[in-house]
Amino acid sequence: MTVRDPRSVVARKRDGNTLAPDEIEGFVEGYTRGDVTDALAAAFLMACLLRGLDAGETLALTRTMVDSGETISFGDLGRPIVDKHSTGGVADGVTLVFAPLAAALGLAVAKLSGRGLGHTGGTLDKLESIPGLRTDLAPDAIARQVAEVGCAVAAQTPNLVPADGALYALRDATATVPSIPLIAASVMSKKLAVGTDLILLDVKAGSGAFMKTPRDAEELAAACLALARGWGRRATVAVTDMSQPLGDAIGNALDVAEAVGLLRGEVGGRLRELSVFFAARALEDTEGVPHDEAVARAERSIDGGEALERLRRMVEAQGGDPHVVDDPEAILPRAPVVTELLADRAGTLAAVDAEAIGHASGALGAGRARKGDPIDPAVGILLHPKIGDRLTVGEPIGQVHARSEEDAQEATRGVLAALTLTDADVSPPPLVHRWLAGGAA
Ligand code: URA
Protein backbone atom coordinates (compact mmCIF):
# COMPACT_ATOMS: atom_id res chain seq x y z
CA MET A 1 0.00 0.00 0.00
CA THR A 2 1.06 3.63 -0.42
CA VAL A 3 0.70 6.30 2.27
CA ARG A 4 -0.23 9.64 0.78
CA ASP A 5 2.08 11.73 2.93
CA PRO A 6 4.78 9.73 4.77
CA ARG A 7 5.62 12.87 6.78
CA SER A 8 2.23 12.60 8.48
CA VAL A 9 3.18 9.12 9.73
CA VAL A 10 6.38 10.50 11.23
CA ALA A 11 4.49 13.46 12.73
CA ARG A 12 1.87 11.18 14.29
CA LYS A 13 4.53 9.01 15.91
CA ARG A 14 6.51 12.10 16.97
CA ASP A 15 3.38 13.31 18.81
CA GLY A 16 2.99 9.99 20.62
CA ASN A 17 0.11 8.47 18.64
CA THR A 18 -0.36 4.79 17.98
CA LEU A 19 0.08 4.09 14.27
CA ALA A 20 -2.37 1.94 12.35
CA PRO A 21 -0.93 -1.22 10.73
CA ASP A 22 -1.46 0.22 7.22
CA GLU A 23 0.45 3.39 8.10
CA ILE A 24 3.45 1.32 9.22
CA GLU A 25 3.14 -0.97 6.22
CA GLY A 26 2.89 1.92 3.74
CA PHE A 27 5.81 3.79 5.26
CA VAL A 28 8.19 0.84 5.46
CA GLU A 29 7.23 -0.49 2.03
CA GLY A 30 7.80 3.02 0.65
CA TYR A 31 11.25 3.17 2.21
CA THR A 32 12.23 -0.28 0.95
CA ARG A 33 11.09 0.70 -2.58
CA GLY A 34 13.11 3.93 -2.41
CA ASP A 35 10.09 6.28 -2.39
CA VAL A 36 10.72 7.48 1.18
CA THR A 37 14.01 9.31 1.75
CA ASP A 38 16.70 8.27 4.25
CA ALA A 39 16.11 11.55 6.10
CA LEU A 40 12.42 10.86 6.62
CA ALA A 41 13.02 7.21 7.53
CA ALA A 42 15.69 8.27 10.06
CA ALA A 43 13.18 10.68 11.62
CA PHE A 44 10.62 7.85 11.73
CA LEU A 45 13.11 5.54 13.47
CA MET A 46 14.04 8.21 16.03
CA ALA A 47 10.35 8.90 16.71
CA CYS A 48 9.82 5.13 17.23
CA LEU A 49 12.84 4.97 19.53
CA LEU A 50 11.72 7.93 21.65
CA ARG A 51 7.96 7.29 21.69
CA GLY A 52 8.02 3.49 21.58
CA LEU A 53 5.86 1.05 19.63
CA ASP A 54 3.14 -1.01 21.27
CA ALA A 55 2.69 -4.76 20.66
CA GLY A 56 0.32 -4.19 17.70
CA GLU A 57 2.64 -1.68 16.02
CA THR A 58 5.65 -3.98 16.57
CA LEU A 59 3.75 -6.88 15.01
CA ALA A 60 2.74 -4.71 12.01
CA LEU A 61 6.36 -3.61 11.52
CA THR A 62 7.58 -7.21 11.75
CA ARG A 63 4.95 -8.42 9.29
CA THR A 64 5.87 -5.73 6.78
CA MET A 65 9.54 -6.66 7.06
CA VAL A 66 8.86 -10.40 6.59
CA ASP A 67 6.61 -9.66 3.60
CA SER A 68 9.33 -7.51 1.99
CA GLY A 69 11.23 -10.56 0.71
CA GLU A 70 11.23 -14.31 0.21
CA THR A 71 10.39 -16.79 2.93
CA ILE A 72 12.14 -20.14 3.26
CA SER A 73 10.59 -23.50 4.06
CA PHE A 74 12.58 -26.71 4.36
CA GLY A 75 9.67 -29.13 4.07
CA ASP A 76 9.58 -32.30 6.16
CA LEU A 77 13.11 -33.31 7.15
CA GLY A 78 11.86 -36.18 9.31
CA ARG A 79 12.95 -34.51 12.55
CA PRO A 80 12.17 -31.25 14.30
CA ILE A 81 13.90 -28.23 12.78
CA VAL A 82 15.39 -25.81 15.28
CA ASP A 83 16.82 -22.32 14.81
CA LYS A 84 18.95 -20.70 17.48
CA HIS A 85 19.84 -17.03 17.51
CA SER A 86 21.78 -14.75 19.82
CA THR A 87 21.16 -11.01 19.98
CA GLY A 88 24.93 -10.55 19.89
CA GLY A 89 27.78 -10.74 22.32
CA VAL A 90 31.51 -11.17 22.91
CA ALA A 91 33.19 -14.62 22.78
CA ASP A 92 29.74 -16.00 22.04
CA GLY A 93 30.60 -19.19 20.15
CA VAL A 94 27.43 -21.04 21.23
CA THR A 95 26.16 -21.59 17.67
CA LEU A 96 29.43 -23.28 16.63
CA VAL A 97 28.85 -25.82 19.40
CA PHE A 98 25.06 -25.91 19.44
CA ALA A 99 24.52 -26.75 15.76
CA PRO A 100 26.58 -29.99 15.67
CA LEU A 101 25.52 -30.89 19.21
CA ALA A 102 21.79 -30.59 18.49
CA ALA A 103 22.32 -32.53 15.23
CA ALA A 104 24.06 -35.31 17.18
CA LEU A 105 20.98 -35.39 19.44
CA GLY A 106 18.74 -36.14 16.44
CA LEU A 107 17.45 -32.62 15.74
CA ALA A 108 17.80 -30.64 12.53
CA VAL A 109 19.48 -27.25 12.78
CA ALA A 110 18.90 -24.87 9.87
CA LYS A 111 20.59 -21.70 10.91
CA LEU A 112 20.89 -18.51 8.91
CA SER A 113 23.54 -16.45 10.65
CA GLY A 114 24.83 -12.92 10.49
CA ARG A 115 28.23 -11.30 10.43
CA GLY A 116 29.83 -9.43 13.29
CA LEU A 117 29.01 -5.75 13.55
CA GLY A 118 30.43 -3.22 16.00
CA HIS A 119 31.89 -4.94 19.03
CA THR A 120 29.94 -8.20 18.58
CA GLY A 121 31.28 -11.25 16.75
CA GLY A 122 29.44 -13.08 13.97
CA THR A 123 29.14 -16.82 13.42
CA LEU A 124 29.65 -16.56 9.66
CA ASP A 125 32.96 -14.72 10.07
CA LYS A 126 34.13 -17.32 12.56
CA LEU A 127 33.16 -20.28 10.34
CA GLU A 128 34.70 -18.72 7.23
CA SER A 129 38.09 -18.72 8.99
CA ILE A 130 38.11 -22.47 8.20
CA PRO A 131 39.91 -22.72 4.83
CA GLY A 132 37.51 -23.45 1.96
CA LEU A 133 34.32 -23.22 4.02
CA ARG A 134 31.39 -21.57 2.24
CA THR A 135 28.31 -20.08 3.82
CA ASP A 136 26.50 -18.83 0.68
CA LEU A 137 24.22 -21.85 0.43
CA ALA A 138 20.93 -21.82 -1.49
CA PRO A 139 17.82 -22.88 0.46
CA ASP A 140 17.63 -26.28 -1.32
CA ALA A 141 21.32 -26.94 -0.57
CA ILE A 142 20.67 -26.10 3.10
CA ALA A 143 17.71 -28.49 3.18
CA ARG A 144 19.81 -31.26 1.54
CA GLN A 145 22.68 -30.75 3.96
CA VAL A 146 20.38 -30.67 6.98
CA ALA A 147 18.74 -33.92 5.82
CA GLU A 148 22.14 -35.61 5.37
CA VAL A 149 24.25 -34.11 8.17
CA GLY A 150 21.66 -32.71 10.58
CA CYS A 151 22.94 -29.14 10.54
CA ALA A 152 23.85 -26.25 8.26
CA VAL A 153 24.94 -22.74 9.15
CA ALA A 154 24.57 -20.41 6.19
CA ALA A 155 24.41 -16.74 5.32
CA GLN A 156 21.11 -14.99 5.11
CA THR A 157 20.16 -14.62 1.44
CA PRO A 158 19.95 -11.02 0.14
CA ASN A 159 16.25 -11.51 -0.51
CA LEU A 160 15.38 -12.58 3.01
CA VAL A 161 13.80 -9.62 4.84
CA PRO A 162 15.37 -6.87 2.66
CA ALA A 163 13.43 -4.21 4.60
CA ASP A 164 15.40 -5.15 7.73
CA GLY A 165 18.64 -4.95 5.78
CA ALA A 166 17.82 -1.38 4.72
CA LEU A 167 16.41 -0.25 8.06
CA TYR A 168 19.20 -1.88 10.09
CA ALA A 169 21.89 -0.07 8.10
CA LEU A 170 20.05 3.24 8.61
CA ARG A 171 19.61 2.53 12.36
CA ASP A 172 23.31 1.79 12.63
CA ALA A 173 24.09 5.14 10.95
CA THR A 174 21.59 7.22 12.97
CA ALA A 175 22.03 5.97 16.57
CA THR A 176 18.61 4.33 16.53
CA VAL A 177 19.63 0.71 17.22
CA PRO A 178 18.90 0.47 20.99
CA SER A 179 15.11 0.43 20.86
CA ILE A 180 13.45 -2.72 22.20
CA PRO A 181 10.57 -2.87 19.65
CA LEU A 182 12.93 -2.09 16.74
CA ILE A 183 15.39 -4.81 17.82
CA ALA A 184 12.57 -7.30 18.44
CA ALA A 185 11.07 -6.65 14.98
CA SER A 186 14.52 -6.86 13.35
CA VAL A 187 15.56 -10.11 15.04
CA MET A 188 12.20 -11.85 14.81
CA SER A 189 11.48 -10.87 11.19
CA LYS A 190 14.55 -12.93 10.18
CA LYS A 191 13.45 -15.88 12.33
CA LEU A 192 9.80 -15.80 11.24
CA ALA A 193 10.73 -15.70 7.55
CA VAL A 194 12.27 -19.18 7.91
CA GLY A 195 10.01 -22.17 8.58
CA THR A 196 11.31 -23.98 11.68
CA ASP A 197 9.56 -25.91 14.46
CA LEU A 198 11.29 -24.09 17.30
CA ILE A 199 13.00 -20.71 17.60
CA LEU A 200 15.53 -20.61 20.44
CA LEU A 201 16.54 -17.06 21.25
CA ASP A 202 19.48 -16.08 23.42
CA VAL A 203 18.91 -12.50 24.57
CA LYS A 204 22.15 -11.24 26.04
CA ALA A 205 22.30 -8.86 29.01
CA GLY A 206 25.35 -6.99 30.25
CA SER A 207 28.37 -4.95 29.28
CA GLY A 208 28.98 -6.86 26.03
CA ALA A 209 25.33 -6.83 24.87
CA PHE A 210 23.00 -4.30 23.28
CA MET A 211 20.81 -4.62 26.39
CA LYS A 212 22.96 -3.59 29.35
CA THR A 213 20.66 -4.83 32.14
CA PRO A 214 18.75 -8.10 32.65
CA ARG A 215 15.58 -6.01 33.04
CA ASP A 216 15.91 -4.47 29.55
CA ALA A 217 16.87 -7.87 28.14
CA GLU A 218 13.75 -9.41 29.68
CA GLU A 219 11.65 -6.71 28.06
CA LEU A 220 13.26 -7.53 24.70
CA ALA A 221 12.76 -11.26 25.34
CA ALA A 222 9.07 -10.69 26.11
CA ALA A 223 8.65 -8.57 22.96
CA CYS A 224 10.24 -11.33 20.83
CA LEU A 225 8.05 -13.98 22.43
CA ALA A 226 4.93 -11.86 21.82
CA LEU A 227 5.86 -11.68 18.13
CA ALA A 228 6.29 -15.46 17.94
CA ARG A 229 2.90 -15.84 19.63
CA GLY A 230 1.30 -13.38 17.20
CA TRP A 231 2.67 -15.52 14.38
CA GLY A 232 1.62 -18.85 15.90
CA ARG A 233 5.25 -19.98 16.08
CA ARG A 234 6.90 -21.83 18.95
CA ALA A 235 9.74 -19.98 20.66
CA THR A 236 11.80 -20.22 23.81
CA VAL A 237 13.85 -17.27 24.97
CA ALA A 238 16.66 -17.23 27.50
CA VAL A 239 18.07 -14.06 29.01
CA THR A 240 21.73 -14.88 29.54
CA ASP A 241 24.76 -13.18 31.02
CA MET A 242 26.97 -11.00 28.83
CA SER A 243 28.59 -9.02 31.66
CA GLN A 244 31.87 -10.64 30.56
CA PRO A 245 33.02 -12.55 27.46
CA LEU A 246 31.19 -15.89 27.47
CA GLY A 247 34.09 -18.05 26.32
CA ASP A 248 37.76 -17.13 26.27
CA ALA A 249 38.26 -16.46 22.53
CA ILE A 250 37.38 -13.07 21.01
CA GLY A 251 38.22 -13.26 17.34
CA ASN A 252 37.35 -15.65 14.54
CA ALA A 253 39.81 -18.54 14.02
CA LEU A 254 40.44 -18.39 17.79
CA ASP A 255 36.72 -18.97 18.44
CA VAL A 256 36.64 -21.92 16.04
CA ALA A 257 39.65 -23.44 17.83
CA GLU A 258 37.85 -22.94 21.15
CA ALA A 259 34.64 -24.58 19.87
CA VAL A 260 36.63 -27.53 18.47
CA GLY A 261 38.47 -27.85 21.80
CA LEU A 262 35.12 -27.83 23.59
CA LEU A 263 33.71 -30.56 21.34
CA ARG A 264 36.91 -32.55 21.88
CA GLY A 265 36.19 -32.38 25.63
CA GLU A 266 39.23 -30.18 26.27
CA VAL A 267 37.39 -26.93 27.12
CA GLY A 268 34.83 -26.53 29.91
CA GLY A 269 33.36 -23.46 31.57
CA ARG A 270 30.48 -21.17 30.80
CA LEU A 271 30.53 -21.59 26.99
CA ARG A 272 30.10 -25.38 27.35
CA GLU A 273 27.49 -24.98 30.04
CA LEU A 274 25.34 -22.59 27.97
CA SER A 275 25.70 -24.65 24.77
CA VAL A 276 24.55 -27.75 26.67
CA PHE A 277 21.61 -25.83 28.18
CA PHE A 278 20.42 -24.71 24.74
CA ALA A 279 20.80 -28.15 23.15
CA ALA A 280 19.01 -29.74 26.10
CA ARG A 281 16.26 -27.14 25.93
CA ALA A 282 15.77 -27.88 22.22
CA LEU A 283 15.32 -31.59 23.06
CA GLU A 284 12.92 -30.77 25.88
CA ASP A 285 10.76 -28.46 23.77
CA THR A 286 10.60 -30.55 20.60
CA GLU A 287 10.73 -34.14 21.91
CA GLY A 288 9.44 -33.72 25.48
CA VAL A 289 12.66 -35.15 26.94
CA PRO A 290 12.82 -34.38 30.70
CA HIS A 291 15.35 -31.67 31.58
CA ASP A 292 17.90 -33.77 33.50
CA GLU A 293 17.89 -36.50 30.87
CA ALA A 294 18.24 -33.92 28.06
CA VAL A 295 21.25 -32.34 29.79
CA ALA A 296 22.83 -35.77 30.37
CA ARG A 297 22.33 -36.70 26.70
CA ALA A 298 23.90 -33.43 25.55
CA GLU A 299 26.89 -33.93 27.87
CA ARG A 300 27.31 -37.50 26.57
CA SER A 301 27.22 -36.32 22.94
CA ILE A 302 30.17 -34.06 23.65
CA ASP A 303 32.11 -36.53 25.79
CA GLY A 304 31.50 -39.41 23.34
CA GLY A 305 32.70 -37.36 20.34
CA GLU A 306 29.39 -37.57 18.39
CA ALA A 307 28.98 -33.78 18.32
CA LEU A 308 32.57 -33.35 17.08
CA GLU A 309 31.86 -35.82 14.24
CA ARG A 310 28.81 -33.75 13.25
CA LEU A 311 30.98 -30.66 13.11
CA ARG A 312 33.47 -32.53 10.90
CA ARG A 313 30.66 -33.52 8.51
CA MET A 314 29.15 -30.04 8.50
CA VAL A 315 32.50 -28.41 7.72
CA GLU A 316 33.16 -30.94 4.93
CA ALA A 317 29.65 -30.52 3.46
CA GLN A 318 30.25 -26.74 3.29
CA GLY A 319 33.58 -27.17 1.50
CA GLY A 320 35.85 -26.59 4.51
CA ASP A 321 38.86 -28.62 5.58
CA PRO A 322 37.44 -31.29 7.91
CA HIS A 323 40.84 -31.85 9.56
CA VAL A 324 40.14 -28.64 11.47
CA VAL A 325 38.43 -30.85 14.07
CA ASP A 326 41.58 -32.98 14.47
CA ASP A 327 44.21 -30.26 14.59
CA PRO A 328 42.70 -26.76 14.54
CA GLU A 329 46.06 -25.03 15.09
CA ALA A 330 47.52 -26.62 11.94
CA ILE A 331 44.53 -25.78 9.73
CA LEU A 332 43.35 -22.36 10.89
CA PRO A 333 45.09 -19.11 9.91
CA ARG A 334 47.56 -17.84 12.51
CA ALA A 335 48.58 -14.28 13.32
CA PRO A 336 52.29 -13.43 12.94
CA VAL A 337 52.57 -11.84 16.40
CA VAL A 338 51.38 -13.60 19.57
CA THR A 339 52.02 -11.88 22.89
CA GLU A 340 51.19 -13.00 26.43
CA LEU A 341 48.67 -10.97 28.41
CA LEU A 342 49.84 -10.55 32.00
CA ALA A 343 47.76 -9.19 34.89
CA ASP A 344 49.04 -5.72 35.83
CA ARG A 345 47.28 -5.62 39.22
CA ALA A 346 46.35 -8.07 41.96
CA GLY A 347 42.81 -8.64 43.21
CA THR A 348 39.52 -10.33 42.44
CA LEU A 349 38.03 -9.72 39.02
CA ALA A 350 34.86 -7.75 39.82
CA ALA A 351 33.72 -6.50 36.41
CA VAL A 352 34.68 -6.71 32.73
CA ASP A 353 33.83 -4.15 30.08
CA ALA A 354 33.10 -6.81 27.47
CA GLU A 355 32.16 -4.20 24.86
CA ALA A 356 35.61 -2.57 25.21
CA ILE A 357 37.24 -5.99 24.78
CA GLY A 358 35.13 -6.60 21.68
CA HIS A 359 36.30 -3.24 20.34
CA ALA A 360 39.94 -4.08 21.16
CA SER A 361 39.61 -7.28 19.15
CA GLY A 362 37.85 -5.37 16.36
CA ALA A 363 40.70 -2.86 16.26
CA LEU A 364 43.15 -5.75 15.74
CA GLY A 365 41.15 -6.52 12.58
CA ALA A 366 38.80 -9.24 13.90
CA GLY A 367 35.70 -7.09 13.52
CA ARG A 368 34.31 -4.48 11.18
CA ALA A 369 33.23 -0.91 11.78
CA ARG A 370 30.88 -0.96 8.77
CA LYS A 371 28.92 -3.60 6.93
CA GLY A 372 31.05 -5.05 4.13
CA ASP A 373 34.47 -4.15 5.62
CA PRO A 374 36.98 -7.03 5.32
CA ILE A 375 38.09 -8.80 8.50
CA ASP A 376 41.30 -10.59 9.48
CA PRO A 377 40.37 -14.14 10.57
CA ALA A 378 43.65 -14.84 12.38
CA VAL A 379 43.78 -12.00 14.91
CA GLY A 380 42.01 -11.67 18.24
CA ILE A 381 42.26 -11.98 21.99
CA LEU A 382 42.26 -14.88 24.42
CA LEU A 383 41.18 -13.87 27.92
CA HIS A 384 40.86 -16.63 30.52
CA PRO A 385 39.77 -15.16 33.88
CA LYS A 386 36.09 -14.78 34.73
CA ILE A 387 34.36 -12.58 37.30
CA GLY A 388 35.15 -13.88 40.79
CA ASP A 389 38.65 -15.19 39.88
CA ARG A 390 41.63 -13.96 41.90
CA LEU A 391 44.57 -12.56 39.92
CA THR A 392 48.17 -11.93 40.97
CA VAL A 393 50.48 -9.36 39.38
CA GLY A 394 52.31 -10.79 36.38
CA GLU A 395 50.03 -13.83 36.14
CA PRO A 396 49.39 -14.95 32.51
CA ILE A 397 45.71 -14.29 31.77
CA GLY A 398 45.58 -14.75 28.02
CA GLN A 399 47.15 -13.82 24.69
CA VAL A 400 46.88 -11.21 21.96
CA HIS A 401 47.12 -12.46 18.35
CA ALA A 402 48.01 -9.51 16.13
CA ARG A 403 49.48 -8.40 12.79
CA SER A 404 52.12 -6.21 14.52
CA GLU A 405 53.75 -5.56 17.90
CA GLU A 406 52.13 -2.10 17.98
CA ASP A 407 48.67 -3.58 17.44
CA ALA A 408 49.33 -6.12 20.19
CA GLN A 409 50.41 -3.42 22.64
CA GLU A 410 47.35 -1.31 21.88
CA ALA A 411 45.03 -4.30 22.41
CA THR A 412 46.83 -5.22 25.64
CA ARG A 413 46.23 -1.71 27.00
CA GLY A 414 42.57 -1.94 25.97
CA VAL A 415 42.02 -5.31 27.65
CA LEU A 416 43.75 -4.42 30.90
CA ALA A 417 41.79 -1.15 31.13
CA ALA A 418 38.56 -3.14 30.68
CA LEU A 419 39.16 -5.21 33.84
CA THR A 420 37.98 -3.95 37.27
CA LEU A 421 39.66 -5.59 40.25
CA THR A 422 38.74 -5.37 43.91
CA ASP A 423 40.06 -6.64 47.25
CA ALA A 424 36.67 -8.07 48.20
CA ASP A 425 35.31 -11.50 47.27
CA VAL A 426 33.02 -11.43 44.25
CA SER A 427 30.43 -14.06 43.27
CA PRO A 428 30.24 -15.06 39.59
CA PRO A 429 27.09 -13.71 37.88
CA PRO A 430 24.36 -16.23 37.01
CA LEU A 431 24.81 -17.72 33.54
CA VAL A 432 21.09 -17.72 32.74
CA HIS A 433 18.96 -14.96 34.24
CA ARG A 434 15.64 -16.31 33.04
CA TRP A 435 13.92 -18.65 30.57
CA LEU A 436 10.71 -17.49 28.91
CA ALA A 437 8.84 -20.10 26.95
CA GLY A 438 5.72 -20.22 24.87
CA GLY A 439 5.20 -18.53 21.58
CA ALA A 440 2.77 -20.64 19.58
CA ALA A 441 -0.81 -19.51 20.00
N1 URA B 1 20.46 -8.01 15.84
C1 URA B 1 19.57 -7.82 14.84
O1 URA B 1 19.40 -8.66 13.98
N2 URA B 1 18.86 -6.66 14.83
C2 URA B 1 19.00 -5.71 15.79
O2 URA B 1 18.31 -4.72 15.73
C3 URA B 1 19.94 -5.92 16.82
C4 URA B 1 20.65 -7.10 16.82
Side-chain angles (χ1 to χ4, degrees):
M1 87 154 267
T2 310
V3 278
R4 234 176 309 129
D5 182 4
R7 277 181 312 174
S8 68
V9 177
V10 177
R12 277 176 34 74
K13 184 41 74 184
R14 177 200 65 202
D15 295 341
N17 295 295
T18 301
L19 298 176
D22 60 356
E23 286 179 291
I24 293 176
E25 190 187 309
F27 190 91
V28 172
E29 278 179 2
Y31 180 61
T32 313
R33 265 197 320 268
D35 296 347
V36 169
T37 62
D38 275 351
L40 198 52
F44 172 75
L45 291 169
M46 189 58 86
C48 293
L49 182 139
L50 295 174
R51 290 296 194 170
L53 295 174
D54 70 14
E57 291 174 304
T58 311
L59 185 61
L61 175 61
T62 308
R63 198 173 289 285
T64 307
M65 300 214 290
V66 172
D67 289 347
S68 70
E70 66 186 7
T71 54
I72 297 179
S73 142
F74 297 110
D76 182 8
L77 295 175
R79 44 188 155 167
I81 311 179
V82 181
D83 189 359
K84 179 232 148 246
H85 185 87
S86 155
T87 53
V90 178
D92 179 8
V94 171
T95 295
L96 297 176
V97 177
F98 172 86
L101 177 55
L105 292 168
L107 303 172
V109 181
K111 165 101 183 84
L112 299 183
S113 277
R115 298 191 180 277
L117 191 64
H119 70 279
T120 66
T123 304
L124 294 183
D125 296 326
K126 297 179 206 275
L127 271 176
E128 286 175 358
S129 68
I130 302 172
L133 189 137
R134 287 183 32 230
T135 56
D136 57 338
L137 311 179
D140 58 335
I142 298 174
R144 234 183 358 262
Q145 182 178 319
V146 171
E148 284 164 15
V149 179
C151 53
V153 179
Q156 190 181 311
T157 60
N159 269 337
L160 194 88
V161 200
D164 178 61
L167 284 176
Y168 192 91
L170 190 61
R171 286 167 59 213
D172 194 34
T174 57
T176 48
V177 171
S179 144
I180 287 173
L182 293 181
I183 296 177
S186 166
V187 168
M188 290 306 285
S189 62
K190 288 171 284 204
K191 304 291 102 188
L192 296 168
V194 181
T196 53
D197 299 303
L198 174 68
I199 300 165
L200 271 179
L201 263 192
D202 181 0
V203 177
K204 299 285 186 196
S207 62
F210 288 115
M211 298 291 114
K212 300 298 179 198
T213 65
R215 207 174 142 168
D216 281 350
E218 274 187 31
E219 214 182 299
L220 174 58
C224 291
L225 212 50
L227 287 172
R229 195 174 298 121
W231 225 266
R233 290 277 297 272
R234 185 139 194 224
T236 297
V237 190
V239 176
T240 72
D241 179 56
M242 187 34 71
S243 63
Q244 57 184 334
L246 177 61
D248 293 1
I250 306 117
N252 293 288
L254 293 174
D255 301 53
V256 172
E258 182 174 43
V260 168
L262 194 161
L263 292 172
R264 291 171 65 83
E266 297 157 0
V267 171
R270 291 166 78 90
L271 177 60
R272 172 167 167 145
E273 220 181 310
L274 194 61
S275 305
V276 164
F277 278 168
F278 273 110
R281 188 68 199 226
L283 262 190
E284 287 172 63
D285 287 356
T286 58
E287 309 272 31
V289 178
H291 174 76
D292 290 350
E293 187 190 328
V295 169
R297 277 168 64 180
E299 299 276 9
R300 277 201 304 275
S301 279
I302 296 179
D303 296 337
E306 290 93 351
L308 184 73
E309 281 315 301
R310 290 291 169 154
L311 179 64
R312 181 197 303 281
R313 289 174 59 194
M314 183 182 103
V315 168
E316 191 163 31
Q318 293 185 216
D321 186 338
H323 298 300
V324 73
V325 308
D326 304 313
D327 191 354
E329 253 89 87
I331 303 295
L332 292 168
R334 287 148 74 114
V337 174
V338 178
T339 58
E340 295 299 315
L341 258 175
L342 305 175
D344 60 346
R345 286 153 289 158
T348 304
L349 189 57
V352 181
D353 184 344
E355 181 169 345
I357 293 178
H359 281 306
S361 176
L364 287 167
R368 52 175 70 80
R370 286 182 200 292
K371 236 175 174 164
D373 284 353
I375 58 147
D376 183 340
V379 300
I381 294 163
L382 287 177
L383 180 67
H384 304 306
K386 298 289 175 219
I387 291 173
D389 288 351
R390 283 205 73 79
L391 308 183
T392 53
V393 179
E395 176 184 340
I397 55 170
Q399 290 178 334
V400 175
H401 293 231
R403 279 288 141 202
S404 70
E405 290 289 345
E406 297 73 51
D407 284 1
Q409 279 169 20
E410 178 78 32
T412 299
R413 280 193 290 276
V415 174
L416 294 176
L419 307 181
T420 302
L421 277 75
T422 173
D423 291 333
D425 285 342
V426 179
S427 304
L431 181 58
V432 178
H433 293 289
R434 190 152 172 219
W435 287 100
L436 295 88

